[in-house]
Amino acid sequence: MSDAPDSPTPATIGPRELEGTIDLLGVIAYGAIKGFTSIAADAEMARDLDLKRALAGMAAKEFRGHELLVDHIGELGGTPTEAMEPFREAFDAYHDRTRPRDLLEGLVKAYIGDGIASDFYLETAQYVRPGTAAIIQQATADHRDVDVIVAAVRRGIEADSRRAGPLALWGRRLMGEALTQGQVVASRRETLGDLVLGRSHDRPGATIEEIGELMQRLTDQHQVRMRRLGLAP
Amino acid sequence: MSDAPDSPTPATIGPRELEGTIDLLGVIAYGAIKGFTSIAADAEMARDLDLKRALAGMAAKEFRGHELLVDHIGELGGTPTEAMEPFREAFDAYHDRTRPRDLLEGLVKAYIGDGIASDFYLETAQYVRPGTAAIIQQATADHRDVDVIVAAVRRGIEADSRRAGPLALWGRRLMGEALTQGQVVASRRETLGDLVLGRSHDRPGATIEEIGELMQRLTDQHQVRMRRLGLAP
């Protein structure tokens, strides 16, 4: 079916690789717009005006990332809303199950949840064509200005040390929920697995061993972030 | 006190006009960041993905407007968070008293509330120096892409005509609350009134008659918007 699948131009991507690529972009684009509303809700909760402004800025960057991804779906001939639709349930479930009860929980979620998602997207970017990989990197790397969040969480724990334990549990729960919903996403669309494993085209994909290493890197990065917040990983 | 108050460069604005100008920018900048979180919350409520994306885009534009205003406060030698602080209570009260109970109420609020505020800011822009007026126009005009909101409200009323009456009341209440809080803002800082009335510098300001005409234009525009939504004004 595929005509010259090694070419980086969309017109020559085989149909199965194209489908997987659009699916992947749909996942990340829907994740970004949910990230936007989630961080905007944190901005609403923030009393401190500098923190409110920083969070609103991060949300706006998430939206810019969403727009980049949506534009790229269009360039590849996909329909953005159709590309996002199959993944809404899993993302909505993640956000419904991890609704922050206050600003501190929201900040930990913005940092930990967004961090896991970004790491995962950057890892998968290795397995797509260069043009798409560049878009994913741009959309993801743009909102990693997280020092303000880290400082605000540390201040919150300093002000009330009893929060450290529950927030550490919260951070671990976020990781668990993200992994659960990640598996739901992967199982729903085998095109995504095929893309990463190299089954939809003739470039080499990830081996099972490499997938294991990827999961280990995600876990390691998560623990680095937890420690940076001053929380037991 | 003022040294060459006719010059458009900040360095030559008299201190009282400068104070009024920074106050006005503080009002609009805080209004914009509250507008951002309010419209982002509507985006979160929207199930329809095209509407969700349109609302998120409007919120992002509100934030861009906020950034423009904040940058200009800095250029004039002001501290953005200090400039916004005196007006938080009034804006927070407006938003607390008009918290939408569902998406339709949120959409009417985004259109009606944002419309009243934008009209008012554009009217006051006449009474400030050209550089500042241009920033206010840019920050305000940018997010007037409201066709999507109007269409969604009309669809909502078509789908359930019993909502038209309560939504019309809601629209009138928004206007009332906006006027109430507008008066709170004006009474809190006499620098703002002085700026509009031309008391802080030697350019002519608004006459009492012109203020009356301005209020009439705000009311007329509000009624145009209500009718556009299909609501009795």
Side-chain angles (χ1 to χ4, degrees), chain A residues 30 33-34 36-37 40 43-44 47 49-50 52-53 56-57 59-60 63 66-67 70 81 84-85 88 92, chain B residues 30 33-34 36-37 40 43-44 47 49-50 52-53 56-57 59-60 63 66-67 70 81 84-85 88 92:
Chain A
Y30 191 67
I33 200 160
K34 289 296 283 188
F36 163 83
T37 51
E44 170 62 27
R47 283 291 309 156
L49 252 179
D50 285 317
K52 190 188 276 288
R53 279 171 40 68
F63 182 71
H66 168 81
E67 290 282 71
V70 157
T81 50
M84 290 185 267
E85 197 60 51
R88 292 182 67 168
D92 291 357
Chain B
Y30 191 68
I33 201 161
K34 288 297 282 189
F36 163 83
T37 51
E44 170 62 27
R47 282 291 307 156
L49 251 180
D50 284 317
K52 189 188 277 288
R53 279 171 39 70
F63 183 72
H66 168 81
E67 291 282 72
V70 156
T81 51
M84 291 187 266
E85 196 61 50
R88 293 182 66 168
D92 290 357

Side-chain angles (χ1 to χ4, degrees), chain B residues 21-128:
Chain B
T21 303
I22 289 174
D23 275 352
L24 178 63
L25 292 165
V27 169
I28 309 180
Y30 191 68
I33 201 161
K34 288 297 282 189
F36 163 83
T37 51
S38 176
I39 299 178
D42 295 337
E44 170 62 27
M45 281 193 279
R47 282 291 307 156
D48 178 89
L49 251 180
D50 284 317
L51 183 57
K52 189 188 277 288
R53 279 171 39 70
L55 290 164
M58 278 177 226
K61 281 181 187 170
E62 285 267 4
F63 183 72
R64 227 170 296 148
H66 168 81
E67 291 282 72
L68 281 174
L69 295 156
V70 156
D71 288 348
H72 192 53
I73 291 170
E75 280 163 15
L76 294 178
T79 306
T81 51
E82 281 173 24
M84 291 187 266
E85 196 61 50
F87 310 110
R88 293 182 66 168
E89 204 180 315
F91 276 100
D92 290 357
Y94 168 75
H95 283 284
D96 287 345
R97 293 161 70 105
T98 59
R99 204 167 283 285
R101 281 166 306 179
D102 63 13
L103 179 63
L104 266 181
E105 284 194 359
L107 293 173
V108 171
K109 180 178 169 184
Y111 182 56
I112 294 289
D114 192 71
I116 299 163
S118 297
D119 281 350
F120 183 71
Y121 302 151
L122 291 173
E123 290 276 0
T124 55
Q126 297 175 61
Y127 303 106
V128 299

Side-chain angles (χ1 to χ4, degrees), chain A residues 13 22 24 32 52 57 63 70 93 98 126 155 158 162 167 170 179 198 206 221-222 227:
Chain A
I13 294 185
I22 290 176
L24 178 63
K52 190 188 276 288
F63 182 71
V70 157
T98 59
Q126 296 175 61
R155 270 200 313 273
E158 260 165 49
R162 287 167 304 180
L167 283 175
W170 172 247
L179 290 181
Q221 280 303 314
H222 170 67
R227 273 190 285 267

